[in-house]
Amino acid sequence: MRANAMRLAALLCALALPIGCATGGKTVQESVDALMRDYAGDGPGASVLVIQDGKPVVERAYGFADLEARTPATPRSNYRLASVSKQFTATAVLLLARDGKLGLDDPVRKWLPSLPAKAADAITIKHLLTHTSGLIDYEDLMAEDATEQVHDADVLRLLETQDRTYFAPGADYRYSNSGYALLALIVEKASGKRYADVLRERIFLPLGMDRTVAYEKGISEVADRAYGYSLIDGRWRRTDQSSTSAVLGDGGIYSSIDDLAKWDAAQYDDRLLDAQSRKLATTPWTKTDDPAIEYGYGWRITGETLWHSGETIGFRNVIVRYPQRRLTVMVLTNRDDPEPYRTALRIAELFLR
């Protein structure tokens, strides 16, 4: 009887849709739920999306987007993307390059001449995109007891005081939030518009990402906002904003898995970037400090995957794409732990067998 039951289960799995059987008689949905069990229940949560062949085959949410209001997380919950935002900044630069409004080999000081010549003369836009500029980390230039939020323009002011770099531009790799803050300012200079407006007009609205926003307190709002939390002394405490949370170019975008599905779809066609620009974004331009990872323009590249994580106070996120297999896994969370990259890879394995 047991053998017959197992054969029947195997047959059902073979005939099932992509959201059908996984292993051990579990459906893929149940297997994803098991992998995401840390996020379920009475705590800050997560939203998970799996896209296969252009269709959402898993769309799940767990826990709470707002603990105080007892608002459950949903696929429409908007999380602060943190460094996942960098792919949008890079795309804005590539759009302006395609328009002829800037060049990727432009010296950074062409656009931001207040940077010290000794430090920045040899830095190009491409160096900023690939984290090979050697710029000093702006976080290390801030006062240790800083409480007021800094913005992209403040990052420039901090770097104006530095006539040094960590290394000669192009000579090495060092992940740089400073570089992406400067890219946001270059986008503004080259376009003549505010960075947040460029993203909305050139990326979000054309793709139908109507609820995605580069968030600016007092200027814009975040619909269905997920607030960030950290586990402190055994209790979840709201830690939604830090002194660096208002810097937009390196991490200030809020979005949901619903909107990011549209972003993912645009990576396969010319509705936003043409094929040449998409290739530029995903070319492994430089080695990183991890021998398994290379870097493009706002994308990490590992084997067949294009991915990026985002970590900031109260949020941990990741997007992992397998473009040749037309598979994408997104995990957005509003808590400081656990880090979701390995979980996303394990979810992907359910579809790669």
Side-chain angles (χ1 to χ4, degrees):
M1 291 292 291
R2 179 176 176 82
N4 288 338
M6 291 178 66
R7 282 194 292 270
L8 177 60
L11 176 62
L12 291 173
C13 288
L15 297 174
L17 295 171
I19 60 171
C21 297
T23 57
K26 287 183 179 179
T27 67
V28 170
Q29 297 275 20
E30 291 169 339
S31 296
V32 171
D33 288 345
L35 291 170
M36 295 297 296
R37 61 184 175 273
D38 289 343
Y39 299 92
D42 196 30
S47 298
V48 178
L49 178 66
V50 180
I51 303 169
Q52 189 172 43
D53 294 326
K55 298 178 180 178
V57 293
V58 174
E59 190 174 37
R60 308 287 276 174
Y62 309 86
F64 289 94
D66 184 335
L67 281 180
E68 291 76 15
R70 311 304 289 172
T71 305
T74 75
R76 289 167 60 86
S77 297
N78 285 297
Y79 299 78
R80 184 166 184 253
L81 296 186
S83 286
V84 175
S85 302
K86 288 181 169 69
Q87 57 202 250
F88 294 94
T89 301
T91 295
V93 171
L94 288 169
L95 285 169
L96 293 171
R98 189 186 64 186
D99 294 346
K101 292 187 175 180
L102 58 76
L104 300 183
D105 293 318
D106 284 353
V108 169
R109 292 189 72 244
K110 172 182 177 179
W111 298 102
L112 304 173
S114 61
L115 287 168
K118 181 178 178 182
D121 252 358
I123 298 175
T124 67
I125 289 176
K126 184 175 179 180
H127 289 140
L128 300 184
L129 288 165
T130 57
H131 302 287
T132 57
S133 68
L135 282 170
I136 304 301
D137 295 330
Y138 74 83
E139 300 95 331
D140 293 340
L141 302 176
M142 297 169 58
E144 290 186 9
D145 58 351
T147 56
E148 291 189 9
Q149 288 190 322
V150 297
H151 298 78
D152 302 78
D154 298 314
V155 173
L156 176 60
R157 283 189 279 272
L158 288 168
L159 293 174
E160 287 170 353
T161 69
Q162 303 297 304
D163 63 357
R164 63 190 177 95
T165 55
Y166 292 119
F167 48 80
D172 204 349
Y173 167 93
R174 181 181 173 116
Y175 191 83
S176 177
N177 287 318
S178 295
Y180 272 76
L182 295 189
L183 285 171
L185 298 177
I186 291 171
V187 165
E188 293 189 334
K189 292 275 190 177
S191 67
K193 297 182 178 181
R194 299 172 60 257
Y195 170 80
D197 292 338
V198 173
L199 293 191
R200 186 179 67 254
E201 295 170 9
R202 298 296 304 274
I203 300 175
F204 302 152
L205 293 183
L207 295 184
M209 300 173 67
D210 301 334
R211 295 153 49 80
T212 299
V213 61
Y215 173 62
E216 299 167 286
K217 186 177 181 180
I219 297 175
S220 54
E221 296 294 333
V222 180
D224 293 319
R225 181 171 174 176
Y227 290 90
Y229 297 88
S230 297
L231 191 62
I232 301 172
D233 296 329
R235 295 183 59 190
W236 289 109
R237 308 280 187 176
R238 184 176 285 198
T239 55
D240 185 71
Q241 296 280 297
S242 71
S243 56
T244 63
S245 293
V247 180
L248 298 182
D250 67 349
I253 294 173
Y254 279 76
S255 192
S256 66
I257 58 171
D258 272 2
D259 269 7
L260 289 172
K262 301 168 186 175
W263 169 249
D264 180 71
Q267 307 309 306
Y268 293 104
D269 57 38
D270 295 347
R271 76 186 78 177
L272 196 63
L273 293 175
D274 58 26
Q276 181 179 2
S277 297
R278 296 198 308 276
K279 184 176 180 180
L280 287 173
T282 58
T283 293
W285 294 106
T286 182
K287 302 286 186 183
T288 70
D289 44 12
D290 184 326
I293 302 172
E294 297 175 286
Y295 206 90
Y297 296 163
W299 288 103
R300 293 186 175 112
I301 303 160
T302 303
E304 65 176 316
T305 65
L306 301 171
W307 65 283
H308 215 291
S309 56
E311 299 183 3
T312 186
I313 187 168
F315 295 92
R316 294 289 184 272
N317 312 301
V318 71
I319 297 177
V320 184
R321 301 183 63 242
Y322 297 77
Q324 299 306 313
R325 303 182 189 228
R326 295 187 66 87
L327 176 69
T328 298
V329 178
M330 305 179 188
V331 182
L332 308 182
T333 84
N334 60 324
R335 52 166 67 191
D336 69 333
D337 189 70
E339 189 279 319
Y341 175 55
R342 299 297 171 190
T343 300
L345 294 181
R346 292 180 68 188
I347 292 172
E349 287 174 2
L350 299 174
F351 297 87
L352 295 175
R353 292 178 176 141

